[in-house]
Amino acid sequence: MNYPRGTLIRNTTGERINHWITAGCFALLLLSGLSMFHPMLFFLSGLFGGGQWARAVHPWIGVALLVSYAGMFIQFWRDNLWNADDLAWLKAGAHVLKNEEEEIPEIGRLNAGQKGVFWSMTLLVPTLFVSGILIWDVYFSGLTTIETQRVAALVHSLAAIAAIIVWIIHVYAAFWVKGSMRAMTQGWVTPGWAWRHHRKWLRRLAATDPRGPNPRAGGEPPR
Protein backbone atom coordinates (compact mmCIF):
# COMPACT_ATOMS: atom_id res chain seq x y z
CA MET A 1 0.00 0.00 0.00
CA ASN A 2 1.21 3.52 -0.83
CA TYR A 3 1.14 5.87 2.15
CA PRO A 4 1.11 9.68 1.79
CA ARG A 5 4.54 11.19 1.44
CA GLY A 6 6.11 12.35 4.69
CA THR A 7 3.85 10.25 6.92
CA LEU A 8 4.69 7.42 9.32
CA ILE A 9 3.33 3.89 9.12
CA ARG A 10 1.41 3.29 12.34
CA ASN A 11 -0.24 -0.03 11.47
CA THR A 12 0.52 -2.35 8.57
CA THR A 13 -2.17 -3.64 6.23
CA GLY A 14 -2.06 -7.06 7.88
CA GLU A 15 -2.42 -5.56 11.35
CA ARG A 16 -5.40 -3.48 10.29
CA ILE A 17 -7.17 -6.38 8.58
CA ASN A 18 -6.63 -8.52 11.68
CA HIS A 19 -7.94 -5.71 13.91
CA TRP A 20 -11.12 -5.18 11.91
CA ILE A 21 -11.89 -8.89 11.64
CA THR A 22 -11.57 -9.08 15.42
CA ALA A 23 -13.72 -5.98 15.85
CA GLY A 24 -16.36 -7.36 13.47
CA CYS A 25 -16.50 -10.69 15.32
CA PHE A 26 -16.85 -8.89 18.63
CA ALA A 27 -19.68 -6.70 17.31
CA LEU A 28 -21.56 -9.75 15.99
CA LEU A 29 -21.05 -11.58 19.27
CA LEU A 30 -22.29 -8.54 21.16
CA LEU A 31 -25.49 -8.31 19.13
CA SER A 32 -26.24 -12.04 19.09
CA GLY A 33 -25.34 -12.43 22.76
CA LEU A 34 -27.52 -9.55 23.86
CA SER A 35 -30.45 -11.00 21.90
CA MET A 36 -30.26 -14.05 24.18
CA PHE A 37 -29.48 -12.16 27.36
CA HIS A 38 -32.86 -10.60 28.00
CA PRO A 39 -36.30 -10.79 26.34
CA MET A 40 -36.31 -7.02 25.82
CA LEU A 41 -33.29 -7.42 23.54
CA PHE A 42 -34.61 -10.41 21.61
CA PHE A 43 -35.41 -8.15 18.63
CA LEU A 44 -31.66 -8.10 17.88
CA SER A 45 -31.92 -11.74 16.83
CA GLY A 46 -33.69 -10.50 13.70
CA LEU A 47 -30.28 -9.39 12.43
CA PHE A 48 -29.32 -13.06 12.24
CA GLY A 49 -32.59 -14.43 10.89
CA GLY A 50 -34.30 -15.18 14.20
CA GLY A 51 -33.62 -16.56 17.64
CA GLN A 52 -32.59 -20.06 16.54
CA TRP A 53 -30.09 -18.70 14.02
CA ALA A 54 -28.66 -16.23 16.53
CA ARG A 55 -28.18 -19.04 19.05
CA ALA A 56 -26.64 -21.34 16.44
CA VAL A 57 -24.21 -18.83 14.95
CA HIS A 58 -23.10 -17.19 18.21
CA PRO A 59 -20.64 -19.93 19.30
CA TRP A 60 -19.07 -20.18 15.84
CA ILE A 61 -18.44 -16.44 15.78
CA GLY A 62 -16.78 -16.96 19.16
CA VAL A 63 -14.41 -19.48 17.58
CA ALA A 64 -13.60 -16.96 14.83
CA LEU A 65 -12.95 -14.27 17.47
CA LEU A 66 -10.53 -16.52 19.36
CA VAL A 67 -8.56 -17.31 16.19
CA SER A 68 -8.49 -13.68 15.08
CA TYR A 69 -7.46 -12.40 18.49
CA ALA A 70 -4.70 -15.00 18.62
CA GLY A 71 -3.35 -13.38 15.47
CA MET A 72 -3.44 -9.97 17.14
CA PHE A 73 -1.70 -11.35 20.21
CA ILE A 74 1.13 -12.76 18.10
CA GLN A 75 1.56 -9.42 16.33
CA PHE A 76 1.27 -7.05 19.28
CA TRP A 77 2.34 -8.77 22.51
CA ARG A 78 5.89 -7.40 22.41
CA ASP A 79 4.66 -3.81 22.01
CA ASN A 80 2.35 -4.34 24.98
CA LEU A 81 4.93 -5.41 27.54
CA TRP A 82 4.84 -3.13 30.58
CA ASN A 83 7.77 -0.85 31.41
CA ALA A 84 8.63 2.17 33.57
CA ASP A 85 7.12 4.56 31.01
CA ASP A 86 3.68 3.06 31.65
CA LEU A 87 3.83 3.79 35.38
CA ALA A 88 4.87 7.39 34.66
CA TRP A 89 1.98 7.70 32.18
CA LEU A 90 -0.51 6.41 34.72
CA LYS A 91 0.77 8.84 37.34
CA ALA A 92 0.08 11.62 34.85
CA GLY A 93 -3.48 10.34 34.36
CA ALA A 94 -5.08 13.66 35.33
CA HIS A 95 -3.13 15.42 32.58
CA VAL A 96 -4.06 12.66 30.12
CA LEU A 97 -7.77 13.19 30.82
CA LYS A 98 -7.34 16.95 30.40
CA ASN A 99 -5.40 16.39 27.16
CA GLU A 100 -2.45 18.37 28.56
CA GLU A 101 0.17 16.69 26.39
CA GLU A 102 3.04 18.88 27.59
CA GLU A 103 2.66 17.38 31.08
CA ILE A 104 2.62 13.76 29.94
CA PRO A 105 5.88 11.75 29.85
CA GLU A 106 7.19 10.46 26.54
CA ILE A 107 5.98 6.97 25.62
CA GLY A 108 6.65 4.38 22.97
CA ARG A 109 4.33 2.93 20.36
CA LEU A 110 1.56 2.20 22.89
CA ASN A 111 0.54 3.89 26.13
CA ALA A 112 -0.54 2.22 29.37
CA GLY A 113 -4.23 2.65 28.52
CA GLN A 114 -3.83 0.82 25.21
CA LYS A 115 -1.83 -1.90 26.92
CA GLY A 116 -4.53 -2.24 29.56
CA VAL A 117 -7.13 -2.83 26.86
CA PHE A 118 -4.89 -5.39 25.15
CA TRP A 119 -4.17 -7.44 28.26
CA SER A 120 -7.77 -7.19 29.48
CA MET A 121 -9.02 -8.67 26.22
CA THR A 122 -6.21 -11.23 26.28
CA LEU A 123 -7.73 -12.49 29.53
CA LEU A 124 -11.39 -12.04 28.61
CA VAL A 125 -11.45 -13.60 25.14
CA PRO A 126 -10.18 -17.03 26.30
CA THR A 127 -12.46 -16.80 29.34
CA LEU A 128 -15.45 -16.19 27.08
CA PHE A 129 -14.38 -19.04 24.81
CA VAL A 130 -13.86 -21.65 27.53
CA SER A 131 -17.04 -20.73 29.41
CA GLY A 132 -18.90 -20.67 26.09
CA ILE A 133 -17.69 -24.19 25.25
CA LEU A 134 -19.07 -25.44 28.56
CA ILE A 135 -22.56 -24.14 27.75
CA TRP A 136 -22.51 -25.11 24.04
CA ASP A 137 -25.24 -27.72 24.38
CA VAL A 138 -25.18 -28.99 20.81
CA TYR A 139 -21.71 -30.48 21.15
CA PHE A 140 -20.74 -30.49 24.82
CA SER A 141 -23.88 -30.92 26.94
CA GLY A 142 -23.07 -34.57 27.60
CA LEU A 143 -19.58 -33.73 28.87
CA THR A 144 -20.59 -31.30 31.63
CA THR A 145 -22.93 -31.26 34.60
CA ILE A 146 -25.82 -28.87 35.14
CA GLU A 147 -23.92 -27.25 38.01
CA THR A 148 -20.87 -26.69 35.79
CA GLN A 149 -23.04 -25.17 33.08
CA ARG A 150 -24.66 -22.80 35.56
CA VAL A 151 -21.28 -21.58 36.81
CA ALA A 152 -20.01 -21.30 33.23
CA ALA A 153 -23.08 -19.27 32.21
CA LEU A 154 -22.47 -16.85 35.09
CA VAL A 155 -18.77 -16.53 34.26
CA HIS A 156 -19.62 -16.06 30.58
CA SER A 157 -22.09 -13.28 31.36
CA LEU A 158 -19.71 -11.46 33.72
CA ALA A 159 -16.82 -11.75 31.27
CA ALA A 160 -19.06 -10.44 28.48
CA ILE A 161 -20.04 -7.40 30.56
CA ALA A 162 -16.38 -6.72 31.34
CA ALA A 163 -15.44 -7.08 27.66
CA ILE A 164 -18.19 -4.64 26.64
CA ILE A 165 -16.90 -2.07 29.14
CA VAL A 166 -13.34 -2.47 27.84
CA TRP A 167 -14.62 -2.19 24.27
CA ILE A 168 -16.50 1.04 25.06
CA ILE A 169 -13.35 2.54 26.62
CA HIS A 170 -11.31 1.47 23.58
CA VAL A 171 -13.73 2.96 21.07
CA TYR A 172 -14.14 6.19 23.05
CA ALA A 173 -10.36 6.66 23.27
CA ALA A 174 -9.98 6.01 19.55
CA PHE A 175 -12.37 8.85 18.70
CA TRP A 176 -11.17 11.10 21.54
CA VAL A 177 -7.55 11.14 20.33
CA LYS A 178 -7.82 12.79 16.94
CA GLY A 179 -5.98 10.86 14.26
CA SER A 180 -6.18 7.48 15.97
CA MET A 181 -9.00 6.17 13.78
CA ARG A 182 -7.10 7.10 10.63
CA ALA A 183 -4.14 5.10 11.95
CA MET A 184 -6.33 2.01 12.09
CA THR A 185 -8.31 2.60 8.91
CA GLN A 186 -5.57 3.95 6.62
CA GLY A 187 -2.48 2.91 8.57
CA TRP A 188 -0.60 6.20 8.72
CA VAL A 189 -0.08 9.17 11.01
CA THR A 190 1.74 12.46 10.65
CA PRO A 191 5.07 13.07 12.41
CA GLY A 192 3.29 15.82 14.37
CA TRP A 193 0.74 13.33 15.68
CA ALA A 194 3.52 10.94 16.69
CA TRP A 195 5.44 13.77 18.38
CA ARG A 196 2.39 14.75 20.41
CA HIS A 197 1.13 11.33 21.44
CA HIS A 198 4.00 8.80 21.11
CA ARG A 199 7.19 10.82 21.17
CA LYS A 200 9.53 8.02 22.23
CA TRP A 201 8.24 5.88 19.37
CA LEU A 202 8.99 8.74 16.97
CA ARG A 203 12.48 9.17 18.41
CA ARG A 204 13.26 5.48 17.91
CA LEU A 205 12.01 5.59 14.35
CA ALA A 206 14.20 8.63 13.70
CA ALA A 207 17.20 6.86 15.21
CA THR A 208 16.82 3.74 13.07
CA ASP A 209 15.40 5.39 9.91
CA PRO A 210 12.32 3.28 9.00
CA ARG A 211 8.90 4.83 8.44
CA GLY A 212 7.40 2.39 10.93
CA PRO A 213 5.65 0.82 12.58
CA ASN A 214 8.61 -0.76 14.38
CA PRO A 215 12.09 0.70 14.82
CA ARG A 216 14.99 -1.40 13.61
CA ALA A 217 16.68 -3.54 16.23
CA GLY A 218 19.32 -1.85 18.32
CA GLY A 219 18.18 1.70 17.69
CA GLU A 220 18.20 4.08 20.64
CA PRO A 221 16.22 7.32 20.74
CA PRO A 222 18.33 10.47 20.40
CA ARG A 223 18.68 12.55 23.57
Side-chain angles (χ1 to χ4, degrees):
M1 177 178 178
N2 294 323
Y3 298 94
R5 192 178 187 87
T7 60
L8 300 173
I9 302 171
R10 180 69 174 166
N11 297 291
T12 65
T13 300
E15 290 172 347
R16 300 198 310 278
I17 291 174
N18 197 171
H19 172 271
W20 288 113
I21 290 175
T22 302
C25 289
F26 186 84
L28 292 174
L29 283 170
L30 174 63
L31 293 171
S32 57
L34 288 176
S35 73
M36 296 180 283
F37 187 75
H38 194 277
M40 289 182 63
L41 300 173
F42 181 74
F43 72 93
L44 293 172
S45 66
L47 298 171
F48 302 89
Q52 290 185 329
W53 277 107
R55 187 177 182 84
V57 76
H58 183 82
W60 289 109
I61 300 174
V63 173
L65 175 67
L66 181 72
V67 173
S68 183
Y69 195 83
M72 289 191 64
F73 181 84
I74 292 171
Q75 293 183 91
F76 291 108
W77 73 269
R78 292 180 181 84
D79 289 323
N80 281 278
L81 294 176
W82 290 89
N83 54 51
D85 294 336
D86 299 315
L87 180 59
W89 189 89
L90 289 172
K91 289 181 178 179
H95 298 295
V96 173
L97 294 175
K98 295 177 183 177
N99 213 20
E100 297 173 345
E101 299 292 338
E102 67 281 356
E103 302 295 333
I104 302 173
E106 294 185 7
I107 55 173
R109 186 182 179 189
L110 300 172
N111 61 44
Q114 293 167 312
K115 293 179 180 181
V117 168
F118 177 84
W119 291 113
S120 295
M121 295 306 289
T122 297
L123 172 64
L124 291 169
V125 169
T127 299
L128 286 166
F129 179 78
V130 173
S131 59
I133 287 291
L134 294 176
I135 56 176
W136 196 352
D137 289 342
V138 175
Y139 297 105
F140 302 102
S141 61
L143 302 178
T144 59
T145 64
I146 295 297
E147 290 75 15
T148 299
Q149 291 180 19
R150 288 172 177 170
V151 172
L154 177 61
V155 171
H156 195 77
S157 298
L158 293 175
I161 292 171
I164 292 170
I165 293 172
V166 172
W167 175 75
I168 291 172
I169 293 172
H170 176 60
V171 173
Y172 177 80
F175 282 101
W176 182 55
V177 180
K178 187 177 180 181
S180 294
M181 283 298 296
R182 181 180 59 204
M184 193 48 72
T185 55
Q186 300 180 46
W188 60 271
V189 295
T190 64
W193 184 94
W195 177 259
R196 182 177 183 185
H197 300 294
H198 298 271
R199 193 168 301 181
K200 188 169 286 188
W201 175 65
L202 176 62
R203 290 184 186 277
R204 291 192 180 277
L205 290 179
T208 58
D209 202 33
R211 291 183 65 186
N214 295 309
R216 292 196 179 96
E220 292 295 330
R223 300 294 181 182

